Amino acid sequence: MSVTRRDGTADPVGGTGRPRPPVRRPAGASRSALPADPGLARELLDGLAEAVVITDAAGLVALVNAAATELLPDVTPGDALAGCPVPALARAVRDGADGFESEHRGRWLRGARRALAGGRHAWYVRDVTEEHARDDALLTERSRTAFLAHSGSRLGLSLHREQALLATVTLAVPYLADAAVVLHHPAPPADPSPHWHRHTDVEPAPVSGVAPAELTTTLPRLAEALAGERPVGPDRWSGADLARLAPLLPPGFGAPGTVLVNPMPAAAGTAGALLLVRRTDRAGFDGRDAELAREFAARAGAALATAELYGAQAHLARVLESSLLPPDLPNVPRLAVAGGYRAAGDRLRIGGDFYDLFPTARGALFAIGDVSGRGVGAAVLTGRVRQSLQTLRLVEQRPLALLGLLNRALLDAPDAARRSQFTSLLLGTGEPLADGGLHIRIAGGGHPAPLVLRADGTVTPVRVGGMPVGALSAARFVEAEVRLDPGELLLTYTDGVTGGGDGTGPGEPSGEARLRAALAASAGLPAAALVDRLLRVVDEWPAGRGHDDLAMLAVSPGEPA
């Protein structure tokens, strides 16, 4: 056992190779004092896992232990530590720093300085490469988890196909790649050629286009990805393959280096293929990158499939909604008719209130009703009532008789007992008179009484009463007749019109009283202007309480032919 001196010579243990005799401790010396044995000190230093470098007061290396010889082979006794070939250590010595941490020859080193007696210093240096690798792996995993969480949130909010495609390519750049391209087949009846959406770090916004038909067969793995096949092993693209990417990349993008292709799976196959492109100056895709890209593509595919399903359902809802909404009223000679409608739902414009107008040989047949319930269920029965009226009016146009036929038709429906739904209804006919007036015959089935507005502003109800239609087989209905002179008007409405102003506040008039007052104040207005004014007035009544479905239909004598 020997200790290396500053001059590089070895001092044998004890000078003779034999163990030194025990050193007697002077009286009064500390019991914890270590034996003054260079051999023992060397053993202690060489037993440390850390590299230890000791410098003298002049800054020259006086001693290095075994770990330092292995970790810092360029640091030798007698050299000035401030000029050693480990830049970070040398800089720390020159700056008088108490530590350093830096990479050296592929390893991460961390050193700490401790002052010793006599102006000497000891540097303790550790190899922390594995710690750095663990920290980097943890940070990378956290970053990937945050990316997937953010991506999932963004994609989940994309309820339209175009939004989902744009979100997919924008999210992927620059985190996953320098360019992201989604190839997909658009929904019919669009062009069946593959379409693409692209985003790169050299473009301010995503762009889209149509890809050449042969592209899907010439690019590696693209056809398989569009067919939903999951890639096995790394993608290997030749120089010719990379050159074929040119139609999908913008001018000035640079040379593509590596490409990753992944299917975007959906419930019924695949929603498209995701191409991720990195330039030559960026590291290629490793195994973790490929795994992250597959997970992202899967989430993007699910979002795109959800958006397509939402789009199909929204289209179906629009078609159904358009068929269930009150129609545009036809023009009837010498008859002025105007309608107004509001649905209670915030999202759907359909509900249980309805009106309709059918021209006849002598004038017109009009109807207004209120189906029990709200929303889609009420709208379905509304459609059934309107379709039944469309058919039954061909065989019967007298209001009272037509109500009886409709009542039987609703009760004879296969699911009538299960539905337990009914409707209030007013049916009326308007026949212009030779003197410019209008003769109205009206029958009621459990509906609010229509109101007659005279030219002087007088408002009079027409009591028709009756029982709801479709509730009882033996229901009884009532009919009444009214004559309207020019400048007069008949207003029919559903109970949603008066429901908002229900008189629940202190001193607040009832909804019917409010309606009569508003109607009286509208005397002299044409039917269309009167309905518009009443709708605005009714909207002010709820005062935050919301309203039911509502409909109104105004009938008055029209201009002479």
Side-chain angles (χ1 to χ4, degrees), residues 64-295:
V64 294
N65 71 344
T69 302
E70 180 179 354
L71 186 63
L72 308 170
D74 297 329
V75 177
T76 57
D79 294 342
L81 191 59
C84 73
V86 183
L89 175 58
R91 185 166 51 253
V93 173
R94 291 194 300 270
D95 296 345
D98 290 329
F100 73 91
E101 184 167 339
S102 179
E103 187 178 12
H104 180 65
R105 293 182 178 178
R107 310 295 294 177
W108 275 93
L109 304 180
R110 181 184 297 157
R113 185 184 69 165
R114 181 178 178 185
L116 303 177
R120 294 173 296 177
H121 291 86
W123 280 93
Y124 300 89
V125 183
R126 292 173 52 215
D127 184 346
V128 293
T129 304
E130 292 184 0
E131 292 181 26
H132 265 263
R134 288 193 297 269
D135 291 344
D136 290 344
L138 179 60
L139 292 175
T140 300
E141 190 61 32
R142 286 178 176 175
S143 174
R144 289 172 172 170
T145 301
F147 169 75
L148 286 176
H150 174 65
S151 300
S153 177
R154 279 277 307 277
L155 291 168
L157 296 175
S158 305
L159 291 180
H160 298 281
R161 177 183 175 87
E162 185 71 12
Q163 289 179 347
L165 290 168
L166 294 178
T168 299
V169 294
T170 53
L171 286 168
V173 178
Y175 190 85
L176 292 177
D178 302 315
V181 181
V182 172
L183 276 144
H184 60 96
H185 292 288
D191 181 0
S193 300
H195 286 52
W196 54 262
H197 282 67
R198 178 190 71 215
H199 185 52
T200 68
D201 57 2
V202 297
E203 294 174 300
V207 294
S208 60
V210 180
E214 64 275 9
L215 192 68
T216 58
T217 58
T218 56
L219 292 181
R221 297 197 175 181
L222 185 54
E224 292 85 348
L226 288 172
E229 297 180 14
R230 183 174 178 178
V232 179
D235 290 351
R236 302 189 183 279
W237 289 57
S238 66
D241 293 332
L242 293 174
R244 295 190 188 98
L245 274 176
L248 299 179
L249 297 176
F253 176 75
T258 54
V259 182
L260 200 59
V261 181
N262 278 292
M264 298 168 61
T270 180
L274 175 64
L275 282 76
L276 300 175
V277 185
R278 290 183 178 178
R279 297 189 187 89
T280 54
D281 58 357
R282 183 172 177 177
F285 297 97
D286 59 21
R288 297 299 301 278
D289 292 335
E291 180 183 349
L292 179 64
R294 281 195 297 270
E295 177 66 23

Side-chain angles (χ1 to χ4, degrees), residues 315-333:
H315 174 71
L316 177 60
R318 287 193 298 270
V319 171
L320 292 175
E321 185 180 68
S322 64
S323 67
L324 294 173
L325 283 173
D328 293 333
L329 299 178
N331 292 323
V332 179

Side-chain angles (χ1 to χ4, degrees), residues 463-529:
R463 303 297 181 184
V464 289
M467 303 175 68
V469 181
L472 298 172
S473 59
R476 292 180 297 175
F477 309 110
V478 180
E479 187 177 72
E481 295 185 33
V482 177
R483 173 189 167 88
L484 297 178
D485 292 326
E488 298 180 338
L489 178 142
L490 177 76
L491 177 70
T492 63
Y493 60 93
T494 60
D495 60 5
V497 173
T498 57
D502 55 6
T504 55
E508 183 179 326
S510 67
E512 185 175 349
R514 284 187 170 189
L515 176 61
R516 291 190 184 191
L519 184 59
S522 305
L525 290 178

Side-chain angles (χ1 to χ4, degrees), residues 43-70:
E43 289 186 36
L44 291 173
L45 288 173
D46 287 343
L48 296 176
E50 291 180 312
V52 179
V53 178
I54 298 177
T55 60
D56 61 15
L60 302 179
V61 178
L63 183 145
V64 294
N65 71 344
T69 302
E70 180 179 354

